[in-house]
Short mmCIF file of all heavy atoms in Angstrom, two decimals:
data_model
loop_
_atom_site.label_atom_id
_atom_site.label_comp_id
_atom_site.label_asym_id
_atom_site.label_seq_id
_atom_site.Cartn_x
_atom_site.Cartn_y
_atom_site.Cartn_z
N MET A 1 -15.42 -56.82 27.01
CA MET A 1 -14.79 -55.47 26.89
C MET A 1 -13.64 -55.54 25.87
O MET A 1 -12.51 -56.02 26.20
CB MET A 1 -14.25 -54.96 28.23
CG MET A 1 -15.25 -54.79 29.32
SD MET A 1 -16.38 -53.44 28.98
CE MET A 1 -15.69 -52.23 30.07
N ALA A 2 -13.91 -55.14 24.64
CA ALA A 2 -12.94 -55.29 23.60
C ALA A 2 -11.65 -54.46 23.97
O ALA A 2 -10.57 -54.93 23.64
CB ALA A 2 -13.57 -54.80 22.29
N MET A 3 -11.84 -53.32 24.40
CA MET A 3 -10.64 -52.41 24.73
C MET A 3 -9.66 -53.18 25.69
O MET A 3 -8.44 -53.21 25.42
CB MET A 3 -11.15 -51.16 25.36
CG MET A 3 -10.06 -50.07 25.46
SD MET A 3 -9.45 -49.63 23.79
CE MET A 3 -8.73 -48.07 24.10
N GLU A 4 -10.21 -53.79 26.74
CA GLU A 4 -9.28 -54.43 27.69
C GLU A 4 -8.53 -55.64 26.95
O GLU A 4 -7.37 -55.87 27.17
CB GLU A 4 -10.07 -55.11 28.82
CG GLU A 4 -10.54 -53.99 29.80
CD GLU A 4 -11.28 -54.57 30.95
OE1 GLU A 4 -11.50 -55.85 30.96
OE2 GLU A 4 -11.86 -53.79 31.73
N THR A 5 -9.21 -56.29 26.06
CA THR A 5 -8.54 -57.41 25.32
C THR A 5 -7.36 -56.85 24.51
O THR A 5 -6.28 -57.36 24.53
CB THR A 5 -9.54 -58.11 24.39
OG1 THR A 5 -10.61 -58.50 25.20
CG2 THR A 5 -8.86 -59.30 23.70
N VAL A 6 -7.57 -55.76 23.81
CA VAL A 6 -6.56 -55.14 23.03
C VAL A 6 -5.35 -54.74 23.85
O VAL A 6 -4.24 -55.01 23.57
CB VAL A 6 -7.09 -53.92 22.31
CG1 VAL A 6 -5.98 -53.09 21.60
CG2 VAL A 6 -8.14 -54.33 21.21
N LEU A 7 -5.71 -54.16 24.99
CA LEU A 7 -4.56 -53.71 25.81
C LEU A 7 -3.74 -54.84 26.38
O LEU A 7 -2.52 -54.87 26.49
CB LEU A 7 -5.12 -52.86 27.05
CG LEU A 7 -5.62 -51.49 26.62
CD1 LEU A 7 -6.22 -50.84 27.87
CD2 LEU A 7 -4.49 -50.61 26.08
N ARG A 8 -4.51 -55.91 26.73
CA ARG A 8 -3.77 -57.10 27.32
C ARG A 8 -2.93 -57.81 26.28
O ARG A 8 -1.81 -58.27 26.58
CB ARG A 8 -4.76 -58.12 27.90
CG ARG A 8 -4.24 -58.85 29.09
CD ARG A 8 -5.26 -59.83 29.69
NE ARG A 8 -6.48 -59.23 29.96
CZ ARG A 8 -7.67 -59.61 29.38
NH1 ARG A 8 -7.72 -60.64 28.50
NH2 ARG A 8 -8.84 -59.07 29.65
N ASP A 9 -3.33 -57.77 25.01
CA ASP A 9 -2.65 -58.51 23.96
C ASP A 9 -1.51 -57.64 23.38
O ASP A 9 -0.66 -58.19 22.62
CB ASP A 9 -3.60 -58.98 22.89
CG ASP A 9 -4.56 -60.03 23.37
OD1 ASP A 9 -4.23 -60.61 24.42
OD2 ASP A 9 -5.56 -60.28 22.68
N THR A 10 -1.49 -56.33 23.65
CA THR A 10 -0.44 -55.53 23.06
C THR A 10 0.81 -55.66 23.83
O THR A 10 0.85 -55.46 25.07
CB THR A 10 -0.91 -54.04 23.10
OG1 THR A 10 -2.12 -53.96 22.44
CG2 THR A 10 0.12 -53.22 22.45
N PRO A 11 1.92 -56.01 23.17
CA PRO A 11 3.22 -56.08 23.93
C PRO A 11 3.60 -54.75 24.50
O PRO A 11 3.30 -53.68 23.96
CB PRO A 11 4.22 -56.51 22.92
CG PRO A 11 3.46 -56.62 21.62
CD PRO A 11 2.08 -56.22 21.73
N ILE A 12 4.31 -54.76 25.60
CA ILE A 12 4.74 -53.45 26.21
C ILE A 12 5.69 -52.79 25.23
O ILE A 12 6.70 -53.41 24.79
CB ILE A 12 5.42 -53.75 27.54
CG1 ILE A 12 4.38 -54.32 28.50
CG2 ILE A 12 6.04 -52.49 28.10
CD1 ILE A 12 4.99 -54.86 29.81
N GLN A 13 5.42 -51.56 24.94
CA GLN A 13 6.30 -50.83 24.02
C GLN A 13 7.43 -50.20 24.84
O GLN A 13 7.23 -49.47 25.85
CB GLN A 13 5.47 -49.64 23.34
CG GLN A 13 4.44 -50.27 22.42
CD GLN A 13 5.07 -50.96 21.14
OE1 GLN A 13 5.96 -50.40 20.57
NE2 GLN A 13 4.48 -52.10 20.75
N LEU A 14 8.67 -50.44 24.48
CA LEU A 14 9.83 -49.92 25.08
C LEU A 14 10.01 -48.50 24.55
O LEU A 14 9.58 -48.16 23.50
CB LEU A 14 11.03 -50.73 24.94
CG LEU A 14 10.94 -52.18 25.48
CD1 LEU A 14 12.12 -52.93 25.12
CD2 LEU A 14 10.80 -52.09 27.06
N MET A 15 10.81 -47.71 25.31
CA MET A 15 11.22 -46.39 24.84
C MET A 15 12.02 -46.61 23.58
O MET A 15 12.57 -47.72 23.26
CB MET A 15 11.98 -45.67 25.86
CG MET A 15 11.22 -45.39 27.15
SD MET A 15 10.17 -43.90 26.96
CE MET A 15 11.39 -42.56 26.95
N ASP A 16 12.26 -45.52 22.85
CA ASP A 16 13.11 -45.55 21.73
C ASP A 16 14.52 -46.17 22.16
O ASP A 16 15.06 -45.65 23.12
CB ASP A 16 13.33 -44.18 21.16
CG ASP A 16 14.02 -44.18 19.82
OD1 ASP A 16 15.10 -44.80 19.73
OD2 ASP A 16 13.49 -43.57 18.88
N PRO A 17 14.95 -47.17 21.45
CA PRO A 17 16.15 -47.84 21.95
C PRO A 17 17.40 -46.90 21.90
O PRO A 17 18.39 -47.17 22.61
CB PRO A 17 16.33 -49.02 20.95
CG PRO A 17 15.52 -48.71 19.84
CD PRO A 17 14.36 -47.80 20.33
N THR A 18 17.32 -45.86 21.20
CA THR A 18 18.53 -44.95 21.07
C THR A 18 18.68 -44.20 22.43
O THR A 18 19.80 -43.74 22.65
CB THR A 18 18.32 -43.88 19.98
OG1 THR A 18 17.02 -43.27 20.18
CG2 THR A 18 18.36 -44.57 18.61
N PHE A 19 17.67 -44.21 23.32
CA PHE A 19 17.95 -43.54 24.58
C PHE A 19 18.82 -44.43 25.47
O PHE A 19 19.59 -43.93 26.24
CB PHE A 19 16.62 -43.36 25.30
CG PHE A 19 15.80 -42.23 24.72
CD1 PHE A 19 14.66 -42.47 23.93
CD2 PHE A 19 16.17 -40.91 24.94
CE1 PHE A 19 13.95 -41.41 23.38
CE2 PHE A 19 15.47 -39.84 24.38
CZ PHE A 19 14.32 -40.13 23.61
N ASP A 20 18.68 -45.77 25.34
CA ASP A 20 19.38 -46.66 26.14
C ASP A 20 20.72 -47.03 25.51
O ASP A 20 21.76 -47.12 26.17
CB ASP A 20 18.67 -47.94 26.47
CG ASP A 20 17.47 -47.67 27.38
OD1 ASP A 20 17.56 -46.71 28.16
OD2 ASP A 20 16.55 -48.37 27.34
N ARG A 21 20.65 -47.29 24.25
CA ARG A 21 21.87 -47.75 23.53
C ARG A 21 22.09 -46.81 22.33
O ARG A 21 21.49 -47.05 21.26
CB ARG A 21 21.63 -49.16 23.04
CG ARG A 21 22.02 -50.23 24.04
CD ARG A 21 21.98 -51.57 23.46
NE ARG A 21 20.66 -51.94 22.94
CZ ARG A 21 20.47 -52.83 22.07
NH1 ARG A 21 21.41 -53.49 21.57
NH2 ARG A 21 19.21 -53.08 21.67
N PRO A 22 22.89 -45.77 22.50
CA PRO A 22 23.17 -44.87 21.41
C PRO A 22 23.82 -45.60 20.30
O PRO A 22 24.62 -46.54 20.54
CB PRO A 22 24.14 -43.86 22.04
CG PRO A 22 24.33 -44.14 23.47
CD PRO A 22 23.65 -45.49 23.73
N PRO A 23 23.47 -45.25 18.96
CA PRO A 23 24.10 -45.94 17.92
C PRO A 23 25.57 -45.62 17.85
O PRO A 23 26.09 -44.56 18.31
CB PRO A 23 23.43 -45.38 16.73
CG PRO A 23 22.81 -44.09 17.19
CD PRO A 23 22.56 -44.19 18.70
N THR A 24 26.42 -46.56 17.38
CA THR A 24 27.89 -46.26 17.28
C THR A 24 28.12 -45.94 15.76
O THR A 24 27.54 -46.56 14.92
CB THR A 24 28.72 -47.48 17.64
OG1 THR A 24 28.08 -48.65 17.03
CG2 THR A 24 28.67 -47.69 19.11
N PRO A 25 29.00 -44.95 15.55
CA PRO A 25 29.28 -44.64 14.15
C PRO A 25 29.96 -45.68 13.46
O PRO A 25 30.82 -46.38 14.04
CB PRO A 25 30.18 -43.33 14.33
CG PRO A 25 30.68 -43.39 15.69
CD PRO A 25 29.66 -44.16 16.54
N GLU A 26 29.57 -45.92 12.18
CA GLU A 26 30.30 -46.89 11.40
C GLU A 26 31.61 -46.40 10.91
O GLU A 26 31.67 -45.32 10.46
CB GLU A 26 29.44 -47.31 10.20
CG GLU A 26 28.40 -48.29 10.53
CD GLU A 26 27.62 -48.69 9.23
OE1 GLU A 26 28.28 -49.16 8.25
OE2 GLU A 26 26.40 -48.45 9.16
N PRO A 27 32.70 -47.20 11.10
CA PRO A 27 34.05 -46.70 10.71
C PRO A 27 34.00 -46.35 9.22
O PRO A 27 33.51 -47.16 8.36
CB PRO A 27 34.90 -47.91 11.00
CG PRO A 27 34.16 -48.79 11.90
CD PRO A 27 32.69 -48.56 11.67
N GLY A 28 34.58 -45.24 8.88
CA GLY A 28 34.72 -44.88 7.47
C GLY A 28 33.48 -44.27 6.88
O GLY A 28 33.56 -43.88 5.71
N CYS A 29 32.46 -44.09 7.69
CA CYS A 29 31.23 -43.44 7.12
C CYS A 29 31.19 -41.95 7.40
O CYS A 29 31.15 -41.59 8.62
CB CYS A 29 29.99 -44.13 7.56
SG CYS A 29 28.43 -43.29 7.00
N ALA A 30 31.29 -41.11 6.49
CA ALA A 30 31.35 -39.69 6.65
C ALA A 30 30.16 -39.13 7.38
O ALA A 30 30.25 -38.16 8.23
CB ALA A 30 31.57 -38.98 5.35
N VAL A 31 28.91 -39.69 7.08
CA VAL A 31 27.72 -39.20 7.66
C VAL A 31 27.77 -39.55 9.17
O VAL A 31 27.38 -38.72 10.03
CB VAL A 31 26.50 -39.86 6.94
CG1 VAL A 31 25.20 -39.41 7.64
CG2 VAL A 31 26.43 -39.47 5.49
N CYS A 32 28.10 -40.76 9.53
CA CYS A 32 28.18 -41.22 10.93
C CYS A 32 29.20 -40.31 11.68
O CYS A 32 28.97 -39.89 12.74
CB CYS A 32 28.64 -42.65 11.03
SG CYS A 32 27.34 -43.82 10.49
N ASP A 33 30.34 -40.09 11.06
CA ASP A 33 31.39 -39.23 11.68
C ASP A 33 30.85 -37.88 11.99
O ASP A 33 31.02 -37.35 13.07
CB ASP A 33 32.61 -39.13 10.68
CG ASP A 33 33.56 -40.33 10.84
OD1 ASP A 33 33.36 -41.17 11.76
OD2 ASP A 33 34.52 -40.37 10.05
N SER A 34 30.21 -37.32 10.99
CA SER A 34 29.66 -35.90 11.20
C SER A 34 28.63 -35.91 12.26
O SER A 34 28.62 -34.97 13.09
CB SER A 34 29.20 -35.43 9.83
OG SER A 34 28.20 -34.53 9.97
N LEU A 35 27.74 -36.90 12.27
CA LEU A 35 26.74 -36.98 13.28
C LEU A 35 27.33 -37.11 14.67
O LEU A 35 26.93 -36.53 15.67
CB LEU A 35 25.74 -38.09 13.01
CG LEU A 35 24.74 -37.77 11.80
CD1 LEU A 35 23.99 -39.06 11.48
CD2 LEU A 35 23.73 -36.73 12.30
N GLN A 36 28.38 -38.00 14.74
CA GLN A 36 28.99 -38.34 16.01
C GLN A 36 29.66 -37.06 16.64
O GLN A 36 29.55 -36.85 17.84
CB GLN A 36 29.95 -39.43 15.85
CG GLN A 36 30.55 -39.96 17.24
CD GLN A 36 29.49 -40.41 18.16
OE1 GLN A 36 28.71 -41.28 17.75
NE2 GLN A 36 29.43 -40.02 19.35
N ILE A 37 30.31 -36.29 15.75
CA ILE A 37 30.91 -35.01 16.23
C ILE A 37 29.87 -34.12 16.84
O ILE A 37 30.07 -33.55 17.89
CB ILE A 37 31.63 -34.34 15.04
CG1 ILE A 37 32.92 -35.19 14.71
CG2 ILE A 37 32.02 -32.94 15.44
CD1 ILE A 37 33.55 -34.82 13.35
N GLN A 38 28.73 -33.96 16.18
CA GLN A 38 27.66 -33.11 16.68
C GLN A 38 27.07 -33.71 17.91
O GLN A 38 26.67 -32.97 18.89
CB GLN A 38 26.54 -33.00 15.60
CG GLN A 38 27.00 -32.27 14.35
CD GLN A 38 25.90 -32.20 13.32
OE1 GLN A 38 24.96 -31.53 13.44
NE2 GLN A 38 26.05 -32.99 12.26
N ILE A 39 26.90 -35.09 18.01
CA ILE A 39 26.41 -35.73 19.18
C ILE A 39 27.35 -35.46 20.35
O ILE A 39 26.85 -35.10 21.48
CB ILE A 39 26.21 -37.21 18.99
CG1 ILE A 39 25.06 -37.49 18.07
CG2 ILE A 39 25.96 -37.93 20.29
CD1 ILE A 39 24.97 -38.91 17.52
N ASN A 40 28.58 -35.60 20.15
CA ASN A 40 29.60 -35.35 21.24
C ASN A 40 29.46 -33.98 21.79
O ASN A 40 29.49 -33.77 22.94
CB ASN A 40 31.01 -35.56 20.75
CG ASN A 40 31.24 -37.09 20.45
OD1 ASN A 40 30.53 -37.95 20.91
ND2 ASN A 40 32.29 -37.39 19.75
N ALA A 41 29.33 -32.99 20.85
CA ALA A 41 29.22 -31.61 21.34
C ALA A 41 27.98 -31.41 22.03
O ALA A 41 27.99 -30.62 23.03
CB ALA A 41 29.36 -30.68 20.09
N ALA A 42 26.89 -31.90 21.53
CA ALA A 42 25.57 -31.60 22.21
C ALA A 42 25.46 -32.43 23.46
O ALA A 42 24.60 -32.03 24.36
CB ALA A 42 24.50 -32.07 21.15
N SER A 43 26.30 -33.43 23.66
CA SER A 43 26.11 -34.27 24.91
C SER A 43 27.05 -33.81 25.97
O SER A 43 27.05 -34.30 27.14
CB SER A 43 26.51 -35.76 24.65
OG SER A 43 25.73 -36.22 23.56
N ASP A 44 28.04 -32.88 25.64
CA ASP A 44 29.02 -32.40 26.58
C ASP A 44 28.58 -31.23 27.36
O ASP A 44 28.43 -30.18 26.75
CB ASP A 44 30.31 -32.15 25.81
CG ASP A 44 31.44 -31.71 26.69
OD1 ASP A 44 31.26 -31.66 27.97
OD2 ASP A 44 32.54 -31.38 26.18
N PRO A 45 28.34 -31.38 28.64
CA PRO A 45 27.84 -30.26 29.43
C PRO A 45 28.80 -29.05 29.46
O PRO A 45 28.42 -27.96 29.79
CB PRO A 45 27.69 -30.85 30.85
CG PRO A 45 27.76 -32.32 30.68
CD PRO A 45 28.55 -32.64 29.46
N HIS A 46 30.09 -29.36 29.12
CA HIS A 46 31.12 -28.25 29.14
C HIS A 46 31.20 -27.59 27.81
O HIS A 46 31.88 -26.62 27.62
CB HIS A 46 32.42 -28.80 29.54
CG HIS A 46 32.35 -29.50 30.92
ND1 HIS A 46 32.20 -28.76 32.04
CD2 HIS A 46 32.60 -30.73 31.26
CE1 HIS A 46 32.21 -29.61 33.09
NE2 HIS A 46 32.41 -30.83 32.69
N SER A 47 30.47 -28.18 26.82
CA SER A 47 30.52 -27.57 25.45
C SER A 47 29.51 -26.43 25.40
O SER A 47 28.41 -26.46 25.97
CB SER A 47 30.16 -28.60 24.44
OG SER A 47 29.89 -28.02 23.18
N GLU A 48 29.84 -25.42 24.61
CA GLU A 48 28.92 -24.28 24.40
C GLU A 48 27.73 -24.73 23.53
O GLU A 48 26.77 -24.03 23.41
CB GLU A 48 29.62 -23.06 23.91
CG GLU A 48 30.32 -23.25 22.56
CD GLU A 48 31.22 -22.10 22.24
OE1 GLU A 48 31.64 -21.34 23.16
OE2 GLU A 48 31.37 -21.85 21.01
N ARG A 49 27.88 -25.91 22.84
CA ARG A 49 26.83 -26.37 21.98
C ARG A 49 25.99 -27.42 22.82
O ARG A 49 25.18 -28.14 22.11
CB ARG A 49 27.37 -26.97 20.72
CG ARG A 49 27.97 -25.97 19.82
CD ARG A 49 28.62 -26.57 18.60
NE ARG A 49 27.70 -27.42 17.90
CZ ARG A 49 28.10 -28.33 17.02
NH1 ARG A 49 29.34 -28.58 16.69
NH2 ARG A 49 27.17 -29.01 16.35
N TYR A 50 26.17 -27.50 24.11
CA TYR A 50 25.48 -28.52 24.90
C TYR A 50 23.97 -28.37 24.73
O TYR A 50 23.39 -27.21 24.93
CB TYR A 50 25.83 -28.37 26.37
CG TYR A 50 25.16 -29.33 27.32
CD1 TYR A 50 25.33 -30.69 27.15
CD2 TYR A 50 24.44 -28.86 28.42
CE1 TYR A 50 24.60 -31.54 27.98
CE2 TYR A 50 23.76 -29.77 29.20
CZ TYR A 50 23.87 -31.09 29.07
OH TYR A 50 23.29 -32.03 29.87
N ASN A 51 23.25 -29.47 24.31
CA ASN A 51 21.89 -29.46 24.08
C ASN A 51 21.32 -30.91 24.08
O ASN A 51 21.38 -31.51 22.99
CB ASN A 51 21.61 -28.75 22.73
CG ASN A 51 20.08 -28.60 22.51
OD1 ASN A 51 19.25 -29.27 23.12
ND2 ASN A 51 19.80 -27.68 21.56
N PRO A 52 20.95 -31.39 25.27
CA PRO A 52 20.57 -32.84 25.46
C PRO A 52 19.49 -33.23 24.48
O PRO A 52 19.65 -34.36 23.97
CB PRO A 52 20.11 -32.94 26.90
CG PRO A 52 20.71 -31.73 27.59
CD PRO A 52 20.82 -30.62 26.54
N SER A 53 18.53 -32.38 24.23
CA SER A 53 17.45 -32.81 23.36
C SER A 53 17.90 -32.88 21.88
O SER A 53 17.50 -33.74 21.18
CB SER A 53 16.23 -31.92 23.47
OG SER A 53 16.57 -30.61 22.98
N GLU A 54 18.87 -32.07 21.57
CA GLU A 54 19.39 -32.08 20.23
C GLU A 54 20.27 -33.34 20.11
O GLU A 54 20.23 -34.03 19.00
CB GLU A 54 20.24 -30.88 19.90
CG GLU A 54 20.57 -30.76 18.41
CD GLU A 54 21.68 -29.73 18.07
OE1 GLU A 54 22.02 -28.92 18.96
OE2 GLU A 54 22.24 -29.84 16.96
N ALA A 55 20.95 -33.75 21.15
CA ALA A 55 21.74 -34.88 21.17
C ALA A 55 20.88 -36.18 20.87
O ALA A 55 21.23 -37.07 20.18
CB ALA A 55 22.49 -35.10 22.48
N ILE A 56 19.70 -36.17 21.48
CA ILE A 56 18.79 -37.28 21.27
C ILE A 56 18.32 -37.31 19.90
O ILE A 56 18.25 -38.31 19.19
CB ILE A 56 17.56 -37.19 22.29
CG1 ILE A 56 18.04 -37.47 23.69
CG2 ILE A 56 16.43 -38.10 21.87
CD1 ILE A 56 17.02 -37.13 24.80
N ASP A 57 17.92 -36.13 19.38
CA ASP A 57 17.56 -36.06 17.98
C ASP A 57 18.61 -36.55 16.98
O ASP A 57 18.34 -37.22 16.01
CB ASP A 57 17.20 -34.58 17.59
CG ASP A 57 15.88 -34.15 18.17
OD1 ASP A 57 15.18 -34.96 18.68
OD2 ASP A 57 15.68 -32.89 18.20
N LEU A 58 19.85 -36.16 17.35
CA LEU A 58 20.96 -36.57 16.47
C LEU A 58 21.14 -38.10 16.45
O LEU A 58 21.46 -38.74 15.51
CB LEU A 58 22.22 -35.84 16.84
CG LEU A 58 22.28 -34.35 16.53
CD1 LEU A 58 23.39 -33.69 17.30
CD2 LEU A 58 22.51 -34.15 15.03
N ARG A 59 20.97 -38.70 17.73
CA ARG A 59 21.14 -40.15 17.88
C ARG A 59 20.06 -40.86 16.99
O ARG A 59 20.30 -41.89 16.34
CB ARG A 59 21.03 -40.56 19.29
CG ARG A 59 22.25 -40.16 20.08
CD ARG A 59 22.31 -40.89 21.41
NE ARG A 59 23.41 -40.48 22.22
CZ ARG A 59 23.30 -39.63 23.25
NH1 ARG A 59 22.14 -39.16 23.62
NH2 ARG A 59 24.31 -39.16 23.92
N ILE A 60 18.86 -40.28 17.12
CA ILE A 60 17.72 -40.87 16.29
C ILE A 60 18.09 -40.76 14.78
O ILE A 60 17.88 -41.64 14.03
CB ILE A 60 16.47 -40.17 16.68
CG1 ILE A 60 16.01 -40.51 18.06
CG2 ILE A 60 15.30 -40.55 15.60
CD1 ILE A 60 14.88 -39.68 18.58
N LEU A 61 18.64 -39.62 14.45
CA LEU A 61 19.04 -39.35 12.98
C LEU A 61 20.08 -40.49 12.61
O LEU A 61 19.93 -41.02 11.52
CB LEU A 61 19.67 -38.00 12.84
CG LEU A 61 18.81 -36.87 12.38
CD1 LEU A 61 19.58 -35.61 12.34
CD2 LEU A 61 18.12 -37.19 11.01
N MET A 62 21.09 -40.62 13.50
CA MET A 62 22.10 -41.67 13.13
C MET A 62 21.48 -43.09 13.02
O MET A 62 21.80 -43.85 12.11
CB MET A 62 23.20 -41.72 14.18
CG MET A 62 24.40 -42.57 13.72
SD MET A 62 25.66 -42.72 14.96
CE MET A 62 26.53 -41.23 14.84
N ASN A 63 20.62 -43.30 13.98
CA ASN A 63 19.91 -44.69 13.94
C ASN A 63 19.21 -44.85 12.59
O ASN A 63 19.36 -45.90 11.94
CB ASN A 63 18.97 -44.74 15.12
CG ASN A 63 18.83 -46.09 15.68
OD1 ASN A 63 19.70 -46.95 15.44
ND2 ASN A 63 17.78 -46.40 16.39
N ARG A 64 18.42 -43.85 12.19
CA ARG A 64 17.67 -43.93 10.94
C ARG A 64 18.65 -44.01 9.75
O ARG A 64 18.38 -44.80 8.87
CB ARG A 64 16.81 -42.68 10.77
CG ARG A 64 15.61 -42.75 11.69
CD ARG A 64 14.57 -41.73 11.23
NE ARG A 64 13.46 -41.62 12.24
CZ ARG A 64 12.97 -40.46 12.66
NH1 ARG A 64 13.35 -39.35 12.14
NH2 ARG A 64 12.03 -40.45 13.57
N HIS A 65 19.70 -43.22 9.85
CA HIS A 65 20.68 -43.28 8.75
C HIS A 65 21.29 -44.70 8.58
O HIS A 65 21.45 -45.19 7.53
CB HIS A 65 21.78 -42.24 9.01
CG HIS A 65 23.15 -42.54 8.46
ND1 HIS A 65 23.31 -42.48 7.07
CD2 HIS A 65 24.22 -42.97 9.03
CE1 HIS A 65 24.58 -42.83 6.85
NE2 HIS A 65 25.16 -43.15 7.93
N GLN A 66 21.62 -45.29 9.79
CA GLN A 66 22.18 -46.64 9.69
C GLN A 66 21.14 -47.71 9.19
O GLN A 66 21.52 -48.65 8.52
CB GLN A 66 22.74 -46.99 11.04
CG GLN A 66 23.96 -46.16 11.41
CD GLN A 66 24.60 -46.52 12.70
OE1 GLN A 66 24.02 -47.29 13.51
NE2 GLN A 66 25.74 -46.01 12.89
N VAL A 67 19.88 -47.52 9.55
CA VAL A 67 18.86 -48.36 9.02
C VAL A 67 18.77 -48.29 7.54
O VAL A 67 18.68 -49.25 6.79
CB VAL A 67 17.47 -48.05 9.69
CG1 VAL A 67 16.40 -48.80 9.03
CG2 VAL A 67 17.51 -48.48 11.18
N ASP A 68 18.84 -47.01 7.07
CA ASP A 68 18.79 -46.80 5.63
C ASP A 68 19.91 -47.42 4.91
O ASP A 68 19.82 -47.91 3.82
CB ASP A 68 18.83 -45.29 5.31
CG ASP A 68 17.52 -44.56 5.71
OD1 ASP A 68 16.56 -45.25 5.92
OD2 ASP A 68 17.50 -43.31 5.79
N GLU A 69 21.13 -47.45 5.58
CA GLU A 69 22.32 -48.06 4.91
C GLU A 69 22.18 -49.42 4.66
O GLU A 69 22.69 -50.00 3.68
CB GLU A 69 23.59 -47.73 5.84
CG GLU A 69 24.22 -46.42 5.66
CD GLU A 69 25.50 -46.25 6.43
OE1 GLU A 69 25.59 -47.04 7.45
OE2 GLU A 69 26.20 -45.33 6.17
N VAL A 70 21.56 -50.22 5.59
CA VAL A 70 21.47 -51.60 5.43
C VAL A 70 20.22 -52.04 4.67
O VAL A 70 20.11 -53.16 4.23
CB VAL A 70 21.50 -52.40 6.81
CG1 VAL A 70 22.82 -52.14 7.51
CG2 VAL A 70 20.32 -51.94 7.72
N ALA A 71 19.27 -51.11 4.46
CA ALA A 71 18.03 -51.41 3.75
C ALA A 71 18.38 -51.66 2.28
O ALA A 71 19.30 -51.06 1.76
CB ALA A 71 17.07 -50.30 3.90
N PRO A 72 17.64 -52.56 1.62
CA PRO A 72 17.93 -52.86 0.21
C PRO A 72 17.67 -51.67 -0.72
O PRO A 72 16.80 -50.80 -0.36
CB PRO A 72 17.01 -54.00 -0.09
CG PRO A 72 15.98 -53.98 0.95
CD PRO A 72 16.53 -53.32 2.14
ZN1 LIG B 1 26.89 -44.14 8.42
#
């Protein structure tokens, strides 16, 4: 059964790491700062901009942005 072999050999895929470990803004980076401000607002249940799914999207954006920063 080829399918079973594939499944057994495939490492378990974890959830997007940004759910467990939110990226931290890099000091002095305007893009990180701006994203962090939006993340804070979207993550705060007392904020009128509270939007958990947007907060996740913004964390993913920051993660990608930071990957882009270190990429050659
Ligand atoms: Zn940045």
Side-chain angles (χ1 to χ4, degrees):
M1 299 291 259
M3 192 60 161
E4 283 179 7
T5 305
V6 169
L7 288 176
R8 209 180 310 120
D9 290 347
T10 304
I12 296 169
Q13 295 291 318
L14 298 175
M15 296 281 287
D16 190 309
T18 53
F19 286 104
D20 290 335
R21 273 188 300 159
T24 48
E26 278 184 57
C29 176
V31 177
C32 289
D33 274 354
S34 150
L35 284 169
Q36 187 60 51
I37 288 166
Q38 295 177 71
I39 289 168
N40 289 344
S43 307
D44 179 2
H46 303 294
S47 165
E48 56 189 27
R49 291 176 57 198
Y50 180 57
N51 186 338
S53 67
E54 194 193 344
I56 289 168
D57 287 347
L58 289 165
R59 288 194 185 103
I60 292 168
L61 266 180
M62 187 188 282
N63 213 21
R64 286 196 190 137
H65 153 71
Q66 291 183 346
V67 169
D68 286 347
E69 274 183 344
V70 295

